[in-house]
Amino acid sequence: MIHSILKDRPTKLFLGFTAFFCCNALIAEAIGTKLFSLEKLLGIRPANFTLFGQSGLAFTLTCGVLLWPLEFVMTDIVNEYYGPKAVRRISWTAIILISYAFLMYFLTIHIPPADVWLQSSQRQGVPNLQEAYNAIFGQSNLIIVGSLVAFLVSQVVDVTVFHQIKKRTGHKHLWLRATGSTLVSQLVDSYIVLFIAFSRIFTWQQILAIGMMNYIYKASMALILTPLIYLVEGRIERYLGHETARKMKLAAMGQPESEGPIPTAG
């Protein structure tokens, strides 16, 4: 039975998507403890925006945002071919694995370290590895909760908006439903994590300003990556075959497979 399952191309494709989606999300959470300057990365001057009464704003982002845009692409592709139930399944799988990882981080932080390990990186300028380990993996509980809640809610919003647009446009305009759903869901995502994690630290004006800077980056990446969605769709069509891909798209919308041909995405 396992051989027949692994020979089924839609199944193999979904397993690959799930593995990448969960692994990418987990890595994004792990590297998200580091902040970086987008302007320095691009070699340009700081943006120095003024929003909601907050001046001198620049694109200071977590390293996790370098990977999250790929989650947007994966969500839209899975939504297109497998439907909202599949997106919810991989989203919950990712959340469970991320929660498991954070639990392991917490437990290993409290495991007594070996003496030889504590000072093993002094030559690299790290006098105490345990303190460095705690700083890297010991994120605030509110940040962890905020991140997980924001991820789950934004996925639900993305799926809902995606299919509402698809109901009105049919199978045309993939760019509209993919980019449109991402633009809406990431606005929600940008503010949920800030409200949960930092509402006791930042003022409302600071939260609104920081969230908007984050959203500008995410919205820009959603637009930049739109051609990638068409590239991936084309590869999937060739891998599955046009007829199989057509039936999967119809099933993803809850429509009978006997319907006519699907118009080319515009």
Side-chain angles (χ1 to χ4, degrees):
M1 180 179 178
I2 188 63
H3 296 293
S4 61
I5 292 176
L6 294 179
K7 286 181 180 180
D8 182 66
R9 290 197 169 189
T11 301
K12 289 196 295 184
L13 192 62
F14 184 69
L15 290 174
F17 283 156
T18 302
F20 181 85
F21 183 89
C22 294
C23 184
N24 191 66
L26 181 56
I27 295 173
E29 289 287 353
I31 67 177
T33 54
K34 180 177 179 177
L35 299 179
F36 75 99
S37 168
L38 181 62
E39 291 93 338
K40 286 184 178 180
L41 179 65
L42 299 178
I44 60 178
R45 298 179 63 181
N48 198 27
F49 288 163
T50 298
L51 297 171
F52 303 102
Q54 307 299 306
S55 60
L57 295 172
F59 289 99
T60 300
L61 308 167
T62 74
C63 284
V65 301
L66 298 173
L67 299 185
W68 280 119
L70 295 177
E71 295 294 281
F72 313 157
V73 173
M74 293 298 299
T75 297
D76 293 331
I77 292 297
V78 172
N79 216 351
E80 180 77 3
Y81 287 93
Y82 297 92
K85 289 184 178 180
V87 174
R88 286 194 289 270
R89 179 176 293 274
I90 65 174
S91 297
W92 275 110
T93 301
I95 288 174
I96 291 171
L97 290 175
I98 292 169
S99 300
Y100 172 72
F102 280 129
L103 176 61
M104 292 302 104
Y105 296 160
F106 176 80
L107 292 177
T108 55
I109 282 173
H110 293 85
I111 291 177
D115 293 336
V116 67
W117 176 75
L118 282 176
Q119 301 177 352
S120 60
S121 295
Q122 285 185 341
R123 292 183 178 180
Q124 287 77 41
V126 184
N128 188 309
L129 271 182
Q130 181 64 44
E131 292 178 358
Y133 189 92
N134 295 353
I136 296 297
F137 293 105
Q139 292 191 50
S140 163
N141 290 334
L142 285 177
I143 294 178
I144 295 172
V145 172
S147 178
L148 293 176
V149 171
F151 175 65
L152 179 60
V153 173
S154 66
Q155 287 295 97
V156 173
V157 171
D158 191 288
V159 169
T160 302
V161 174
F162 185 96
H163 278 273
Q164 287 300 317
I165 295 175
K166 195 170 184 178
K167 285 179 181 179
R168 288 164 173 76
T169 62
H171 294 281
K172 296 181 179 180
H173 308 309
L174 172 60
W175 65 269
L176 179 60
R177 57 182 175 272
T179 306
S181 61
T182 298
L183 291 176
V184 175
S185 65
Q186 292 313 302
L187 180 62
V188 175
D189 178 270
S190 296
Y191 282 108
I192 287 180
V193 64
L194 288 172
F195 285 145
I196 293 177
F198 300 107
S199 59
R200 297 181 181 179
I201 301 174
F202 296 155
T203 65
W204 286 99
Q205 291 83 359
Q206 287 175 317
I207 289 176
L208 290 172
I210 295 171
M212 186 53 61
M213 294 297 292
N214 290 338
Y215 179 67
I216 290 173
Y217 168 81
K218 293 176 182 179
S220 300
M221 290 304 300
L223 295 173
I224 291 171
L225 290 177
T226 298
L228 178 61
I229 297 176
Y230 282 93
L231 176 63
V232 173
E233 184 194 37
R235 295 296 297 270
I236 291 173
E237 293 276 343
R238 288 193 291 273
Y239 176 72
L240 295 176
H242 179 72
E243 183 61 21
T244 299
R246 182 188 73 86
K247 291 179 179 179
M248 290 175 65
K249 287 183 177 181
L250 291 172
M253 288 189 68
Q255 297 176 352
E257 297 180 357
S258 59
E259 290 193 2
I262 296 175
T264 303

